[in-house]
Amino acid sequence: LDGNPSQYKLTLSGTLKSPKINFHPPFLMLMPVPLDVETEGVINIIPQDYLRQSRIQVKLPELEVGDGTRTYPFTVQFPEGQDIVLSSDGTNNELICHISFKSPKPMSFLGEMLFIDEEEN
């Protein structure tokens, strides 16, 4: 500026996007099966707006059967891993999730599984 105290005003604006995940299909209905037989469904987890790697965790529901005992009849597997990774084009890669159910006692369930990232989103 060579000694000339001119003033400059700089205005910045931006949009902050919170990371989120979507599911395809948005809900899963597992087929009824005989006791002690496993049934399975597959969902795609679609991460959006993640700027750094994160890991998906799943909180499975604990269910109560007719005699009062509690059980975890669901299992979840991520065959290609459960890390959300930013690809070279700036998007997040989809994750495949296998959800299975198996119970030695009759039961039905309508509820939620909670998918969270490392920051509890």
Side-chain angles (χ1 to χ4, degrees):
L1 297 175
D2 295 329
N4 188 0
S6 300
Q7 293 184 351
Y8 293 93
K9 182 178 179 180
L10 180 63
T11 303
L12 301 174
S13 66
T15 304
L16 176 63
K17 294 184 177 182
S18 296
K20 62 182 176 180
I21 55 177
N22 291 312
F23 300 91
H24 184 76
F27 66 91
L28 182 64
M29 184 184 305
L30 299 174
M31 299 305 298
V33 292
L35 296 178
D36 259 344
V37 174
E38 186 174 84
T39 182
E40 182 180 78
V42 176
I43 60 170
N44 289 324
I45 299 174
I46 306 160
Q48 295 178 324
D49 301 324
Y50 278 85
L51 300 177
R52 61 181 174 265
Q53 183 172 320
S54 190
R55 187 171 186 84
I56 294 291
Q57 300 291 326
V58 184
K59 292 186 179 179
L60 299 173
E62 181 183 34
L63 305 179
E64 186 174 321
V65 293
D67 64 2
T69 59
R70 302 191 68 75
T71 183
Y72 290 91
F74 292 98
T75 58
V76 174
Q77 294 181 343
F78 294 87
E80 298 174 9
Q82 58 199 87
D83 291 329
I84 296 173
V85 178
L86 189 65
S87 64
S88 59
D89 65 357
T91 61
N92 299 121
N93 295 333
E94 291 186 10
L95 303 174
I96 296 171
C97 180
H98 292 249
I99 300 172
S100 60
F101 173 90
K102 183 179 178 180
S103 176
K105 298 183 180 187
M107 70 169 53
S108 63
F109 169 73
L110 174 63
E112 299 176 351
M113 289 183 180
L114 183 61
F115 290 78
I116 57 173
D117 64 16
E118 290 176 342
E119 296 179 7
E120 303 266 337
N121 294 312

